[in-house]
Amino acid sequence: MSLSDATPALLVLADGSTYRGWSFGATGTAIGEIVFNTGMTGYQEVLTDPSYCGQIVIFTYPELGNTGINSEDEESTQPHVKGAIARNICYKPSNWRSTQSLPNYLQQHQIPGIFGIDTRALTRKIRTLGAMNGGISTTILDETELLEMVQAAPNMTGLNLVKEVTTPTVYEWLEATTPPWEFNPEAVTKIRETFTVVALDFGIKRNILRRLASYGCRVIVVPADTQPEEILKYNPDGIFLSNGPGDPAAVTEGINTTRALLERQKPMFGICMGHQILGHALGAETFKLKFGHRGLNQPAGLQQRVEITSQNHSFALDPDSLPTATVEVSHFNLNDLTVAGVRHKSLPVFSVQYHPEASPGPHDADYLFEQFVLKMQASRQGTKA
């Protein structure tokens, strides 16, 4: 597309900063929290990850859309971002799996984007000042008017966005990772039993479900507000707490449900929002990071082992609030030493602040799914004994 044919677009941040570029995707106005993702691949997974609900994503990789869009790479049924910010946009993708261009896909789902701005400079601003609200518009090109809308929008702290992305009904997931994409065949073939896992959907990604299924799990996905007694009716071997958007402290129903399920002493595994929900249920607190962790190369570890991980979160567990008599830290984020994983000292319960299913991304942490299954196996054997 020639820039002479492109529609002008305006980006305004809550601090009054303005950026003018061109529109890609839908026309209109979008307001949300401005965050950045440093991944060089995986823009489609980012757009469809429910954890990005309420946010406008800056993609630091300078060219977006080269591989187009295909249905197999979607992490949910639709994009959840409020908007997208890029340096350059590809309108004619080149990939054998592509069925649609990125601009057409965003236009189809009514999501505006802006390109033609210095995304590296914008990212440095967010790193310096912290994540803040912003707005993209093709219809409001007056900076003052758009700024007023941005400054009137609620902050992410205190927002319960889980209710916007959780499943409205219970469903069962059986689809495993397809053989061409299976990256841990030796581990998954060792599992000889089928385990029933109830997954609380705070905004779950499909590749998490695929990894659970690959490890022999029959996964029953339930809405985030499902009561403990309803969950226990499925007689689950384990409980999974999914990723999701917003402030975990505001998801009080999920915290209360998790606290009640802990009393049953069943194996429990949490990822991202699930990790934070579990932390609250165990008595800890969370705080908002300055600009969060979003990318495919975040180092996490504790002793003698470093995992390169995929991360996407705004909040973290407060280490000083952890009940150290019952809970221990299993991983730190090695960039800033925030808590990246915890485990219970006596119960088969653990969680991580990153994505072991990492699609795309490193597979260093896929063993955590196997650990979850082994805990369910041990629990089942203990019950039988």
Side-chain angles (χ1 to χ4, degrees):
M1 172 185 288
S2 168
L3 289 182
S4 61
D5 299 323
T7 301
L10 173 66
L11 168 65
V12 173
L13 304 188
D15 71 342
S17 303
T18 61
Y19 302 82
R20 292 190 180 272
W22 293 271
S23 167
F24 75 99
T27 56
T29 302
I31 308 294
E33 183 182 52
I34 306 290
V35 298
F36 62 86
N37 185 293
T38 60
M40 295 177 67
T41 61
Y43 58 81
Q44 184 176 343
E45 289 87 342
V46 169
L47 295 170
T48 56
D49 180 351
S51 296
Y52 282 102
C53 177
Q55 295 176 322
I56 297 173
V57 181
I58 308 164
F59 290 89
T60 62
Y61 190 70
E63 186 88 11
L64 209 62
N66 290 3
T67 55
I69 296 291
N70 72 85
S71 60
E72 295 177 357
D73 288 348
E74 293 191 324
E75 288 288 4
S76 61
T77 57
Q78 65 186 55
H80 291 279
V81 298
K82 287 286 190 179
I85 302 170
R87 175 59 178 161
N88 298 313
I89 290 296
C90 175
Y91 282 85
K92 295 181 179 180
S94 177
N95 186 279
W96 65 273
R97 300 172 71 227
S98 175
T99 58
Q100 190 177 15
S101 74
L102 173 61
N104 286 344
Y105 178 74
L106 292 182
Q107 186 175 32
Q108 173 189 336
H109 290 281
Q110 296 300 303
I111 296 173
I114 183 172
F115 77 100
I117 64 173
D118 188 343
T119 51
R120 299 301 176 94
L122 179 56
T123 298
R124 287 195 297 269
K125 175 181 284 289
I126 297 300
R127 281 184 60 89
T128 301
L129 300 180
M132 67 182 77
N133 283 342
I136 298 172
S137 186
T138 60
T139 55
I140 302 174
L141 299 180
D142 179 81
E143 298 171 359
T144 301
E145 183 180 354
L146 187 56
L147 178 60
E148 289 176 354
M149 294 179 62
V150 168
Q151 292 179 338
N155 292 320
M156 188 63 69
T157 301
L159 283 185
N160 181 355
L161 296 175
V162 166
K163 56 189 176 182
E164 297 187 23
V165 298
T166 189
T167 178
T169 57
V170 177
Y171 65 94
E172 185 173 341
W173 184 277
L174 295 172
E175 177 192 327
T177 303
T178 56
W181 300 104
E182 178 56 62
F183 45 82
N184 202 357
E186 292 184 6
V188 300
T189 53
K190 287 192 303 183
I191 308 301
R192 303 297 184 184
E193 299 177 78
T194 298
F195 299 93
T196 299
V197 173
V198 172
L200 271 77
D201 179 13
F202 302 122
I204 200 163
K205 294 171 64 179
R206 287 176 174 171
N207 274 301
I208 290 176
L209 295 170
R210 292 189 182 106
R211 294 315 293 155
L212 288 169
S214 293
Y215 278 96
C217 297
R218 169 185 174 239
V219 188
I220 300 167
V221 185
V222 301
D225 61 357
T226 304
Q227 295 301 302
E229 55 270 20
E230 290 299 315
I231 292 170
L232 293 171
K233 285 180 180 179
Y234 295 102
N235 191 26
D237 295 291
I239 308 295
F240 179 77
L241 309 174
S242 87
N243 61 294
D247 185 345
V251 190
T252 53
E253 285 184 307
I255 294 170
N256 292 335
T257 296
T258 303
R259 186 179 294 120
L261 292 171
L262 284 168
E263 296 178 1
R264 302 306 292 261
Q265 301 187 9
K266 289 181 176 289
M268 188 177 295
F269 178 25
I271 289 177
C272 288
M273 169 68 78
H275 162 79
Q276 298 158 2
I277 293 287
L278 178 62
H280 277 283
L282 291 168
E285 296 180 356
T286 50
F287 67 97
K288 194 171 189 297
L289 296 166
K290 184 176 182 180
F291 48 80
H293 302 151
R294 295 174 185 85
L296 309 180
N297 59 347
Q298 300 278 335
L302 188 61
Q303 293 179 339
Q304 298 181 335
R305 179 186 177 112
V306 176
E307 301 164 17
I308 303 303
T309 68
S310 173
Q311 299 195 14
N312 167 26
H313 62 108
S314 296
F315 294 81
L317 287 180
D318 179 357
D320 295 330
S321 70
L322 287 171
T324 55
T326 55
V327 179
E328 62 184 357
V329 174
S330 61
H331 298 77
F332 287 105
N333 183 303
L334 299 178
N335 282 333
D336 60 8
L337 296 183
T338 51
V339 175
V342 297
R343 57 178 169 242
H344 200 280
K345 292 182 178 180
S346 58
L347 300 178
V349 171
F350 67 105
S351 63
V352 290
Q353 186 65 83
Y354 51 85
H355 285 274
E357 86 288 352
S359 183
H363 302 146
D364 299 23
D366 186 72
Y367 71 91
L368 292 169
F369 291 104
E370 183 180 11
Q371 282 193 1
F372 184 40
V373 169
L374 292 176
K375 289 182 185 297
M376 289 189 287
Q377 189 176 60
S379 177
R380 178 183 287 181
Q381 291 170 352
T383 301
K384 287 181 179 179

